[in-house]
């Protein structure tokens, strides 16, 4: 149990002293960037999924006559 507590203490110490945190403005701009790319990527996946769905639908219609 002492090992776990020591690990947690060292982790917090590492976060306070050795991690370089972004400024508030930088964090906001990076958050917006991630949100925009997430939306663009999800729209691209939706488009590809729609196209493949139509292709598979037409294929099965063609097979069944």
């Amino acid at each position: 149990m002492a090992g776990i507590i020591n690990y947690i203490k060292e982790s917090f110490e590492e976060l306070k002293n050795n991690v370089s945190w972004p400024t508030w403005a930088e964090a906001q701009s990076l958050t917006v960037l991630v949100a925009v790319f997430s939306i663009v990527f999800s729209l691209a996946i939706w488009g590809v999924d729609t196209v493949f769905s139509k292709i598979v639908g037409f294929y099965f219609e063609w097979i069944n006559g």
Side-chain angles (χ1 to χ4, degrees):
M1 187 66 172
I4 293 173
I5 293 172
N6 190 32
Y7 174 76
I8 292 172
K9 285 181 184 177
E10 288 177 3
S11 296
F12 278 113
E13 191 68 29
E14 180 89 17
L15 287 172
K16 284 195 290 186
N17 297 325
N18 297 338
V19 174
S20 60
W21 296 98
T23 63
W24 181 248
E26 189 179 21
Q28 285 178 328
S29 67
L30 290 174
T31 300
V32 169
L33 184 70
V34 167
V36 167
F37 275 107
S38 296
I39 290 169
V40 168
F41 191 67
S42 65
L43 288 173
I45 290 175
W46 172 76
V48 169
D49 182 54
T50 302
V51 168
F52 281 143
S53 163
K54 297 288 184 187
I55 290 171
V56 169
F58 289 138
Y59 174 74
F60 281 115
E61 263 184 43
W62 180 67
I63 288 178
N64 291 331

